[in-house]
Amino acid sequence: MVRDGLVLCAQRGLQSLLPGLWEFPGGKIEPGESARQAVEREIREELDCEVEVGDELTTTTHAYDFGDVTLTTFWCVLRSGAPRVTEHSEVRWLKPTELDTIEWAPADIPAVRAIVSAG
């Protein structure tokens, strides 16, 4: 999610897998949902705000000890509300050039690199 040239980053909760690492908010696609619909729903559930889902940035797969994770990352624009922490420990708005100042979940790193290159 972007706003005023800044990118929203979310820190995973301490009780989650990969605790304390940073990610782009989102989640699993439910049966009957498109990837874009899943992003809209997950942002609404996790951050209590509405986004407009734009173009796909990248799709990557990462093999973790607990299984393979495939992430599709979209450019999203905040449409209404202000992100608030419900499942994450913290959220931050960072400039693309600042994204390397936090420790990312490995599956999110290709998207981070793509954002930095585009910025």
Side-chain angles (χ1 to χ4, degrees), residues 32-115:
E33 264 184 337
S34 70
R36 284 180 167 76
Q37 290 169 326
V39 170
E40 289 174 348
R41 178 186 50 75
E42 289 281 344
I43 296 295
R44 194 170 39 255
E45 291 173 3
E46 292 180 4
L47 298 170
D48 196 28
C49 58
E50 300 289 327
V51 294
E52 180 179 327
V53 180
D55 293 335
E56 180 179 324
L57 176 65
T58 186
T59 296
T60 58
T61 300
H62 184 80
Y64 288 104
D65 292 343
F66 54 82
D68 292 349
V69 173
T70 299
L71 295 180
T72 301
T73 306
F74 294 93
W75 289 106
C76 297
V77 176
L78 181 62
R79 194 168 46 190
S80 66
R84 67 180 189 88
V85 174
T86 61
E87 294 182 19
H88 293 90
S89 296
E90 181 183 350
V91 294
R92 291 183 193 168
W93 291 99
L94 298 176
K95 295 176 186 174
T97 57
E98 298 172 324
L99 294 179
D100 64 353
T101 65
I102 55 179
E103 187 177 358
W104 289 91
D108 287 271
I109 291 173
V112 170
R113 290 182 182 142
I115 292 168

Side-chain angles (χ1 to χ4, degrees), residues 4-51:
D4 301 326
L6 302 176
V7 179
L8 184 73
C9 311
Q11 188 176 40
R12 296 181 62 83
L14 297 179
Q15 290 74 33
S16 67
L17 292 173
L18 307 172
L21 296 181
W22 291 81
E23 67 180 359
F24 296 114
K28 293 181 181 173
I29 299 171
E30 299 291 337
E33 264 184 337
S34 70
R36 284 180 167 76
Q37 290 169 326
V39 170
E40 289 174 348
R41 178 186 50 75
E42 289 281 344
I43 296 295
R44 194 170 39 255
E45 291 173 3
E46 292 180 4
L47 298 170
D48 196 28
C49 58
E50 300 289 327
V51 294

